[in-house]
Amino acid sequence: MAPFFKVYHDDERIQEDISILKANKIEKENIYVLSHDDDRTNRIAKNTEANTIGASEQGLTDAVKSVFEKQGDELRDKIESVGFSEAETSEYEAELDKGAVFLIVTETYGIDLDTIIG
């Protein structure tokens, strides 16, 4: 099953939605944020106790490889590492180019997240 995915352009809104997810028993280990700006990603993750996509999700080889890649390649690798297809990854990376922040939930436990944070 593909991870849950939602696009944001408002940092406050994504932080509110992450709080809602946690209140609905979604474990923080399954909640990730990603943007083009590492500082922005880290700030949102820190404020919400969510995760960023790092070496443990990518695997050590991919994480080391991404250090030497262009930012777009690195982002595509990160998106693929949490369960998206190559085609989806290219589409989603274009959204990141427009300043989006992604909320990715890797395990929903059968909860309809569109209903909770729609």
Side-chain angles (χ1 to χ4, degrees):
M1 180 178 206
F4 174 83
F5 172 83
K6 188 169 179 182
V7 179
Y8 294 82
H9 292 279
D10 179 343
D11 293 2
E12 287 182 31
R13 183 65 192 164
I14 189 173
Q15 291 178 77
E16 290 169 6
D17 283 356
I18 290 170
S19 293
I20 292 168
L21 291 174
K22 288 180 176 180
N24 281 277
K25 309 277 190 261
I26 300 296
E27 296 176 11
K28 71 179 187 176
E29 292 80 16
N30 295 311
I31 302 171
Y32 293 87
V33 293
L34 179 66
S35 77
H36 250 306
D37 180 346
D38 289 339
D39 290 335
R40 184 181 187 194
T41 299
N42 291 330
R43 182 179 62 252
I44 294 168
K46 182 180 177 185
N47 289 343
T48 60
E49 297 181 358
N51 298 292
T52 60
I53 300 170
S56 62
E57 292 77 21
Q58 288 183 273
L60 186 57
T61 303
D62 286 342
V64 171
K65 180 179 79 172
S66 71
V67 169
F68 300 100
E69 292 178 325
K70 295 179 193 171
Q71 187 174 21
D73 294 335
E74 178 183 356
L75 289 169
R76 282 189 296 278
D77 287 345
K78 286 181 176 184
I79 296 167
E80 283 181 32
S81 73
V82 292
F84 292 98
S85 71
E86 193 172 324
E88 290 170 317
T89 299
S90 294
E91 177 184 335
Y92 296 154
E93 197 233 336
E95 283 294 319
L96 289 172
D97 290 342
K98 297 175 188 173
V101 180
F102 293 165
L103 170 62
I104 302 167
V105 181
T106 55
E107 177 60 58
T108 64
Y109 304 102
I111 299 170
D112 182 3
L113 300 186
D114 284 320
T115 302
I116 294 172
I117 60 173

